Amino acid sequence: MSGEPRVEFQDLGARLIRRHTENGWVALRDDLLDRALRSFRPSAPVRGRHGGGDFFVAADALVALLRRSVDAEPQAAASDITCETDGSDVLVSVTIRLVAAYGAHLVTLADAVRARALVELQEVLGVLAPEIARIHTHVHVEDVHRDPRML
């Protein structure tokens, strides 16, 4: 007799847990899907070309490579980089926003950053190189810092 109430209690407990879990999971699942859909940002394709034909690079990957190249410039750091493509996914412009070191000659620095960006674009996008000269490369200095650790 003492075993029967325990089994009944376990059944009741299991039913309550299942009911709670199922309801909770549905609410949680909907929230997770909504959050995941909001956080997913597809990266636009950027067309490149090599001997085997055309290929595509994710714009986010191209931006990361450009950032690494720009950040190698000792007196500058990229604060933002954006790419714009045409209807055929060919890169038409790159905008690089910089933080510059105090005392740097800004025109010379902008020219050095632009040159680095064009070399990186040529390496990544391949034989679209003749068209590289047509890519508008905008360099904007948006801040200047005395502390080189801020770069």
Side-chain angles (χ1 to χ4, degrees):
M1 285 202 169
S2 65
E4 286 181 39
R6 183 173 180 189
V7 171
E8 188 177 310
F9 179 72
Q10 286 175 339
D11 281 345
L12 176 62
R15 281 194 311 258
L16 289 173
I17 289 172
R18 282 189 196 109
R19 186 172 47 190
H20 175 72
T21 302
E22 289 169 5
N23 290 340
W25 169 246
V26 170
L28 181 65
R29 183 185 64 204
D30 289 342
D31 182 49
L32 284 176
L33 290 174
D34 288 342
R35 288 176 44 194
L37 290 172
R38 284 192 311 266
S39 67
F40 178 69
R41 296 179 309 128
S43 182
V46 178
R47 185 180 301 274
R49 187 173 299 133
H50 55 55
D54 285 7
F55 63 93
F56 293 94
V57 176
D60 289 349
L62 184 59
V63 165
L65 292 168
L66 286 168
R67 181 178 299 281
R68 183 185 67 187
S69 181
V70 169
D71 288 350
E73 181 63 41
Q75 293 188 307
S79 60
D80 187 44
I81 299 175
T82 57
C83 298
E84 182 183 340
T85 57
D86 65 11
S88 300
D89 300 319
V90 173
L91 188 64
V92 294
S93 73
V94 173
T95 301
I96 302 168
R97 289 181 176 76
L98 293 178
V99 176
Y102 181 80
H105 187 263
L106 298 182
V107 174
T108 305
L109 182 61
D111 287 343
V113 166
R114 185 175 290 107
R116 282 180 182 273
L118 289 175
V119 165
E120 189 69 33
L121 290 171
Q122 191 167 16
E123 286 180 18
V124 173
L125 299 178
V127 294
L128 282 177
E131 298 174 27
I132 292 288
R134 285 193 249 161
I135 298 171
H136 300 288
T137 309
H138 309 281
V139 178
H140 300 274
V141 177
E142 65 179 17
D143 203 355
V144 176
H145 279 283
R146 287 187 183 269
D147 186 353
R149 293 174 297 180
M150 296 300 290
L151 299 179

